[in-house]
Amino acid sequence: MKMLKTILATAVISASITPALADTDVYGKLNVSVQSSDSGEGAVSELKSNSSRFGLKGITQLDDGLSLVYKYEFQVDVTDESKEENLKSRNQYIGLKGNFGEVLLGRNDTVLKQSQGKFDLFSDYEADIKNIGWKGENRADDSVTYKTPKFNNFQFGLTYILDEENDDASTSFSATYGDGALKKDKFYAAVALDSEVGGYDSTRITLGTKLSDVKLGLIFQTQEAVETGIEKSGVMLSADYKIGLYNVKGQYQTLEDDAGITLGLDRKLGKSTKAFAFYTTFTPDVGDDESYLALGLEHKF
């Protein structure tokens, strides 16, 4: 009887909200891997949720050629945490889009972070460029993001981040050419600058190209800590080779004398589902070497 009441209640709620969600897409991603992790103190086996998420997004047509755009996204750990610790806020914003471009208000990835496109092939895994110490992977609260319309494939972006506690602000700027996923174009280029974002001034240059079934990416990064003035630089090289249902991937990244190498293999199981495996090794200038071996599944909806 209790189960029947739950089913009836869910059906009633779903029926009541369906008209309100007519212009809204419900989406998500489940990404879970079995992983052997050795951070220098011996290998341990673990089950990892790799930035699994769900959200709502939509576009509503308004008057005078304007559109209302919105997104409300959360990260969920489907393997470990429960209750209030399970959900983490991701990009959540509302804004307007028109002939002038697009303005978004809320929490959003900075335009420097967005400028790298899809060339960090192991983003959200151990080999994510932020895990070797690259700064600039910021999702900014209290931010205003503006992007111009595209002019001959060129686009400019600005993130303005309010610091309410200190009555201050920081900025992120980008200039891009082409499509960061190389779905529409064979070439991509971007230059992006952070000024005092997360305590760092950063410059990132991204280049990408597609040669037949091979996608190649190259990113240069320099960063300086605002308080200490310590400067660091690094480079990332990535390659993705599509062979039928498989994608063979490799990535090399550095920050000063720290380096990491990752090899991976994806196998498409359906339109929205894949199996994947990767092996990552980090060789820091100071400290123990690290290695990670994983096998997992991903499904998007």
Side-chain angles (χ1 to χ4, degrees), residues 27-296:
Y27 68 96
K29 180 176 78 171
L30 294 169
N31 186 303
V32 178
S33 58
V34 179
Q35 185 166 303
S36 174
S37 304
D38 185 351
S39 58
E41 299 180 354
V44 296
S45 298
E46 55 183 333
L47 197 63
K48 296 204 66 174
S49 177
N50 303 298
S51 295
S52 298
R53 68 199 67 167
F54 71 91
L56 305 173
K57 62 181 178 180
I59 301 178
T60 300
Q61 299 301 316
L62 304 176
D63 296 333
D64 301 321
L66 295 175
S67 298
L68 177 75
V69 294
Y70 56 92
K71 177 181 281 191
Y72 197 55
E73 183 176 294
F74 289 93
Q75 179 173 316
V76 57
D77 189 328
V78 298
T79 63
D80 289 322
E81 304 294 349
S82 61
K83 298 181 180 179
E84 70 277 0
E85 296 179 347
N86 190 277
L87 297 178
K88 296 180 181 179
S89 298
R90 290 177 58 87
N91 291 337
Q92 299 175 351
Y93 53 72
I94 189 170
L96 291 175
K97 187 175 183 179
N99 292 332
F100 61 88
E102 182 180 68
V103 176
L104 304 176
L105 310 175
R107 179 184 301 105
N108 198 15
D109 292 341
T110 64
V111 293
L112 180 140
K113 181 180 179 182
Q114 295 180 47
S115 73
Q116 71 190 35
K118 299 296 184 180
F119 299 106
D120 180 4
L121 301 180
F122 298 95
S123 177
D124 296 330
Y125 300 120
E126 302 297 342
D128 191 309
I129 55 177
K130 67 185 178 184
N131 290 334
I132 202 171
W134 282 32
K135 304 302 178 181
E137 299 299 283
N138 296 300
R139 179 172 294 119
D141 299 335
D142 300 318
S143 67
V144 179
T145 303
Y146 170 68
K147 287 186 178 180
T148 68
K150 282 196 171 183
F151 304 99
N152 296 322
N153 248 3
F154 286 95
Q155 188 174 43
F156 302 91
L158 176 69
T159 302
Y160 186 78
I161 307 166
L162 302 172
D163 184 348
E164 299 174 353
E165 293 184 2
N166 300 310
D167 192 23
D168 199 359
S170 54
T171 57
S172 180
F173 169 79
S174 70
T176 64
Y177 174 83
D179 165 28
L182 295 179
K183 292 182 177 180
K184 300 178 181 179
D185 303 296
K186 290 186 177 181
F187 302 98
Y188 177 77
V191 177
L193 307 170
D194 274 358
S195 177
E196 298 188 3
V197 179
Y200 283 84
D201 294 334
S202 303
T203 301
R204 184 173 294 179
I205 300 173
T206 304
L207 301 171
T209 188
K210 184 176 182 180
L211 304 172
S212 185
D213 292 324
V214 180
K215 293 181 181 180
L216 301 174
L218 174 63
I219 304 179
F220 298 97
Q221 164 108 351
T222 62
Q223 59 195 48
E224 179 181 352
V226 174
E227 289 189 1
T228 64
I230 295 176
E231 297 183 22
K232 293 184 178 181
S233 61
V235 65
M236 189 216 75
L237 296 165
S238 66
D240 184 345
Y241 182 25
K242 180 175 175 57
I243 310 173
L245 297 175
Y246 294 87
N247 283 77
V248 182
K249 304 188 294 186
Q251 187 161 298
Y252 172 74
Q253 59 210 70
T254 68
L255 184 66
E256 294 297 308
D257 294 325
D258 297 345
I261 298 176
T262 301
L263 298 175
L265 180 68
D266 295 350
R267 206 286 190 181
K268 189 174 182 180
L269 300 176
K271 182 179 179 180
S272 304
T273 308
K274 70 177 183 180
F276 64 89
F278 68 82
Y279 175 74
T280 297
T281 179
F282 289 125
T283 53
D285 182 47
V286 178
D288 298 323
D289 291 355
E290 302 177 19
S291 63
Y292 304 90
L293 178 64
L295 178 65

